Amino acid sequence: MSIDFSQLRHYLDSLVPARSETMQEMEAYAREHRFPIIGPAAGYLCYQTARMIQAKRIFELGSGYGYSTAWFARAVQENGGGEVHHTVWDAELSEMARGHLRTLGYAGLVNYHVGEAVQTLRETEGPFDLIFNDIDKEGYPGSLPVIADKLRAGGLLIIDNMLMSGRIFDESNQTAAVQGVRTFTKMITTSPEWIVSLVPIRDGLIVAYKR
Ligand SMILES: C[S@@+](CC[C@H](N)C(=O)[O-])C[C@H]1O[C@@H](n2cnc3c(N)ncnc32)[C@H](O)[C@@H]1O
């Protein structure tokens, strides 16, 4: 018997507790506009890990209209307050995120940056307890030294799309995005600085602990 991955994905999403109306609207928007949000199961893992380490300062690279940000903001609020940095280069998406996150009650927690995410992280004072990376995949290798510099020892890096819908297994695929994910995966899994697991939820998340 082998696992049907589409069935697995629906099953994992079905285990996530019911979301608020606003979160459901954000999920519906992603389906209608084919916008690549992390989805319920990966979002819940982000929330859970941020709660587990009592994260109070979180930086997100490639935030979209605020769906993943909402999961982190919920964790920070429940952890007693702090800050979540939302970073995207589209002003329109940043504006959409402000609306959603205000409605969800996280307005006071979120700092908005419109610009290139790695450069913004470079210019923002650390350290952070948790950094989440979901930028264009060719940018992943170049982001790692900046992330390592800004994350505290004992902090977590979560990075999305580490399976690229299976394209990483196709050796004839040498696109910049797939190569970016392969190079990043090799860099982090061979570095003594990190303890790393690839969690195959949705499109694959690396969860990495900085020693
Ligand atoms: C995959 S979507 C983000 C989804 C979001 N993390 C979520 O799950 O709700 C990535 C977004 O980041 C933007 N982006 C990609 N690379 C970026 C970069 N280097 N700097 C800033 N924004 C970037 C894209 O235009 C897109 O809007």
Side-chain angles (χ1 to χ4, degrees), residues 105-160:
Y106 305 136
L109 294 175
V110 185
N111 295 10
Y112 296 90
H113 308 271
V114 177
E116 201 289 314
V118 180
Q119 184 57 24
T120 306
L121 175 59
R122 202 179 272 121
E123 290 165 2
T124 306
E125 195 176 339
F128 290 95
D129 302 307
L130 191 155
I131 296 179
F132 175 68
N133 195 357
D134 197 8
I135 59 171
D136 288 351
K137 311 313 153 195
E138 49 270 39
Y140 278 4
S143 70
L144 189 56
V146 184
I147 290 169
D149 183 48
K150 295 290 179 175
L151 196 62
R152 70 165 165 85
L156 287 185
L157 165 63
I158 305 177
I159 183 155
D160 194 27

Side-chain angles (χ1 to χ4, degrees), residues 36-38 62-64 67-68 88-90 93 115-117 134-136:
I37 60 167
I38 54 171
S63 305
Y67 181 79
S68 50
V88 74
W89 50 28
D90 322 74
L93 289 173
E116 201 289 314
D134 197 8
I135 59 171
D136 288 351

Side-chain angles (χ1 to χ4, degrees), residues 140-197:
Y140 278 4
S143 70
L144 189 56
V146 184
I147 290 169
D149 183 48
K150 295 290 179 175
L151 196 62
R152 70 165 165 85
L156 287 185
L157 165 63
I158 305 177
I159 183 155
D160 194 27
N161 304 110
M162 301 316 290
L163 297 174
M164 295 290 282
S165 306
R167 292 197 296 282
I168 56 154
F169 304 120
D170 173 7
E171 284 182 14
S172 71
N173 191 326
Q174 296 289 320
T175 58
V178 169
Q179 285 294 76
V181 170
R182 289 191 185 116
T183 303
F184 178 88
T185 305
K186 191 159 190 181
M187 283 168 75
I188 197 163
T189 54
T190 55
S191 164
E193 203 182 349
W194 300 92
I195 301 172
V196 182
S197 291

